[in-house]
Amino acid sequence: MTGAKTAVFIYWLLGFGVLVFADVWKVRVESLVKALEGSCVVMPCSYQYPGDVQPTSLTTGIWHTENDQKYFVYHEDSKKIADNFKERTKLVGRLGELNCSLEIDEVKNHDNGPFCFRVELQTSDKDKYSFVKNCVRLDMIAEAPPPEMHSEDSVQEGHPAVFKCSVRHTCPSHQPTLSWSHKGKEMLTYKNIGHGNWEVESILSFTPTSADDHTDISCTVQYHRLSKGYVATRPVFVKEQATLNHILIPSICALGAAILVGGVCFFLVKRYKKRIDELQSRNDNSMLSRLSRMSRRFRSDGNNSGADGRHQRRSIWGRFSRYAQKLHLLYLTYPSCIQNRTCILGKRCYTTVLNIIDGGLF
């Protein structure tokens, strides 16, 4: 029984707390909002009050400065608005939906606030409240930043390419416009990123060609009330699409280079072969001339000798012929060795024979 009473008491206490905390005046605003000079800014605001929600027709919303609640930045009665803000402020939220957001147009560098919201309900003279502890200050921006662009470092010819351009701002009632320097399909998106900031993004898609290679693509943002546009630029690099020419041209070049190299090698081999033949012919003629001189020398000696010497000459001539045949075979095998006067064939030295031939001992 005691446990049941405790549970009932806890539920009663929670219900009482909800009623107490719900029956209060509250406002939700951003304490600091960026504002672009010359353009517009929206200060997001939502509120609540005790009792039932009243329609917009029975609710009055007012914005005033923090230090002077009679200095109206916005009022339903335009005659009560300060001259500095006349025709520049308006509520962009519906009070019946508890939205008290305020827009300031043509922002000036002295519109920095702080600004506070006040609500007046027509249900009673007591249902009025100024949220002076929750005011909004504006952070002035003299020059807007350029938009941000995102894309791949290179695109493929003949395949769809996507370029993205985005910019952040604080005036959703007058969204910035984005434009491209290149034709294509465009898609716009708007997104609330919180804390009074919004983002608008443009996505451009097109099929690049070789003519787009090494060109620039630009995205321009135009803010409300500003004549100057802010530009972001990125280069475009297009990878060519592979075709039959990309295969044939390198193949033909490689084949041509191979033919050229082969022709040069053939010419050089033929030239050096001809030179070798000339040197061999010259050496053969030299050897034959030596043999001819020795033959004439033998005939001359035969004329001077008698019949007794013919047998000796034939014996010498036979030996010489055998040496000459070996020498000729040696020359054909090792021509360079003969010219150096040293050659070994079967480990037998013929230097003496060469010296005899050169010395004319026969």
Side-chain angles (χ1 to χ4, degrees):
M1 189 69 179
T2 304
K5 290 182 178 180
T6 304
V8 171
F9 176 76
I10 292 174
Y11 285 128
W12 178 85
L13 185 62
L14 290 174
F16 177 78
V18 170
L19 291 174
V20 169
F21 286 105
D23 195 22
V24 295
W25 298 83
K26 289 183 179 180
V27 70
R28 295 182 181 87
V29 294
E30 295 294 333
S31 59
L32 184 65
V33 177
K34 293 182 179 180
L36 179 60
E37 293 182 16
S39 187
C40 60
V41 62
V42 172
M43 297 179 292
C45 172
S46 63
Y47 69 104
Q48 69 180 53
Y49 51 83
D52 297 332
V53 177
Q54 301 298 317
T56 302
S57 58
L58 298 179
T59 307
T60 299
I62 301 170
W63 282 84
H64 57 81
T65 58
E66 183 181 34
N67 299 327
D68 188 358
Q69 296 187 17
K70 297 297 182 181
Y71 190 88
F72 298 125
V73 176
Y74 170 79
H75 198 285
E76 287 185 354
D77 186 357
S78 60
K79 295 179 181 179
K80 295 181 179 180
I81 298 177
D83 293 338
N84 186 39
F85 290 96
K86 279 186 178 181
E87 299 182 354
R88 293 201 299 122
T89 59
K90 67 176 181 179
L91 286 179
V92 293
R94 295 180 59 86
L95 297 177
E97 298 174 357
L98 304 180
N99 189 333
C100 51
S101 300
L102 177 71
E103 175 194 303
I104 300 179
D105 198 9
E106 298 182 74
V107 175
K108 303 182 185 302
N109 58 4
H110 52 75
D111 295 340
N112 51 2
F115 305 112
C116 310
F117 177 66
R118 175 182 174 84
V119 61
E120 296 180 355
L121 303 178
Q122 297 180 14
T123 55
S124 172
D125 293 339
K126 296 181 180 180
D127 292 337
K128 300 176 183 180
Y129 196 87
S130 289
F131 300 97
V132 292
K133 293 184 179 180
N134 302 94
C135 299
V136 181
R137 184 183 298 275
L138 296 182
D139 181 16
M140 297 298 171
I141 301 176
E143 191 76 11
E148 295 182 0
M149 285 187 64
H150 302 279
S151 65
E152 296 181 0
D153 294 334
S154 61
V155 295
Q156 184 68 45
E157 180 184 5
H159 294 267
V162 176
F163 289 80
K164 295 182 180 180
C165 179
S166 62
V167 65
R168 294 184 177 184
H169 63 96
T170 55
C171 188
S173 56
H174 298 282
Q175 297 277 1
T177 59
L178 297 172
S179 59
W180 295 90
S181 61
H182 197 288
K183 293 182 179 180
K185 183 179 179 181
E186 299 181 27
M187 184 177 65
L188 279 173
T189 58
Y190 304 95
K191 182 170 56 176
N192 184 358
I193 57 178
H195 303 288
N197 295 294
W198 289 72
E199 183 182 67
V200 56
E201 183 182 58
S202 177
I203 300 177
L204 175 70
S205 59
F206 65 95
T207 303
T209 63
S210 57
D212 296 318
D213 190 27
H214 286 80
T215 60
D216 292 331
I217 186 169
S218 301
C219 174
T220 304
V221 57
Q222 194 75 46
Y223 292 95
H224 174 66
R225 298 261 184 208
L226 298 183
S227 58
K228 179 182 178 181
Y230 298 87
V231 183
T233 303
R234 281 182 65 88
V236 179
F237 301 101
V238 180
K239 296 179 181 178
E240 292 187 7
Q241 189 174 10
T243 61
L244 188 60
N245 291 335
H246 291 81
I247 300 175
L248 289 178
I249 292 177
S251 301
I252 293 174
C253 292
L255 181 61
I259 294 174
L260 179 61
V261 172
V264 172
C265 292
F266 177 78
F267 174 76
L268 292 176
V269 169
K270 186 175 181 181
R271 180 178 178 183
Y272 283 108
K273 186 176 180 180
K274 183 178 179 181
R275 179 62 177 170
I276 292 172
D277 292 341
E278 291 177 355
L279 292 175
Q280 289 180 350
S281 176
R282 185 181 305 170
N283 291 333
D284 289 343
N285 293 334
S286 177
M287 180 62 66
L288 292 176
S289 62
R290 292 180 180 178
L291 295 175
S292 178
R293 287 197 304 271
M294 286 186 290
S295 178
R296 288 194 299 271
R297 194 172 298 169
F298 290 149
R299 286 195 295 271
S300 175
D301 293 340
N303 294 331
N304 295 329
S305 302
D308 296 336
R310 278 198 293 267
H311 178 73
Q312 184 180 1
R313 285 197 302 271
R314 282 196 298 268
S315 178
I316 296 175
W317 178 250
R319 281 189 297 164
F320 173 76
S321 298
R322 288 193 299 272
Y323 278 116
Q325 290 175 359
K326 293 182 179 181
L327 183 62
H328 184 64
L329 178 61
L330 183 65
Y331 169 74
L332 293 177
T333 308
Y334 305 101
S336 59
C337 295
I338 296 297
Q339 306 215 347
N340 294 332
R341 298 301 186 264
T342 58
C343 184
I344 302 298
L345 180 62
K347 297 184 179 181
R348 184 174 180 180
C349 182
Y350 285 88
T351 304
T352 304
V353 176
L354 294 176
N355 291 334
I356 292 172
I357 295 173
D358 289 340
L361 297 178
F362 283 96

